Amino acid sequence: MAHTWDPDRYRMYDDERGRPFLDLLARVRAETPRTVVDLGCGPGNLTALLKQRWPDADVRGIDSSSEMIEAADVPGVAFEVGDLRRWTPDEPVDVLVSNATLQWLPDHLELLPRLLRRVAPGGWFAFQVPGNFGEPSHTIRTDLAARAPYAAHTSTVAVPSSREPVDYLRALQVLGCEADVWETTYLHVLTGDDPVFTWVSGTGAAPTLQALPDDLRADFEKAFRERLAEAYPADSEGRVILPFRRIFAVARKEPTT
């Protein structure tokens, strides 16, 4: 079952979701790139930062979700629906960015050579993926989804995953890149009713929730909310701390000589 994305729900935590993008971009040292592409651009709010950084560049955003592309509206930026596995630019680009997208492709480590071929010699390839799939925000969903009667509907849904930082570093080095790979665990302070559920239901848990029929989804959500609230208790001020590990990679392709 194909799932869809809700741009409004996804953007409920814009500041928290945007911070890793800024940290990733800070280590891309391109000065005057002609072409910049954001693969998995979502609603385009972060792609706008690429245009701000390089106002004279041709900046484009690509996303497989038509809902996200319809919501994207940034002056001077062209957006289009496309599958990054088959995306081929007219000519290699100077900066290629992919933020919190590759984790949806189980074979994304093997996809790196293809993506790097889309980067011009001397150009930059930067990506960021979550590295928190062993945390309760994911393991609770996995456990519930594997139980009857939910498993009959959720066994084939898309589930995000990533590799360890050293895996990305070695892969990029083998491809001849000068690579910088690191990880950061953010401590997001969330408020409101069931904030962790609100967070995950807009991203990693969305395919599971959409796969469930209406008569099962309510019970699943109730159990999911309760277990998340136990795993991430609020303090006396109603604040919930969500630790979120992310993995970053910035690679520069070898210039031609």
Side-chain angles (χ1 to χ4, degrees), residues 83 99 128 131 172 208:
D83 185 334
N99 182 65
Q128 176 268 127
L172 292 168
T208 297

Side-chain angles (χ1 to χ4, degrees), residues 174-189:
V174 166
L175 293 168
C177 292
E178 174 189 336
D180 181 13
V181 178
W182 73 98
E183 64 178 79
T184 298
T185 298
Y186 299 89
L187 297 178
H188 297 307
V189 180

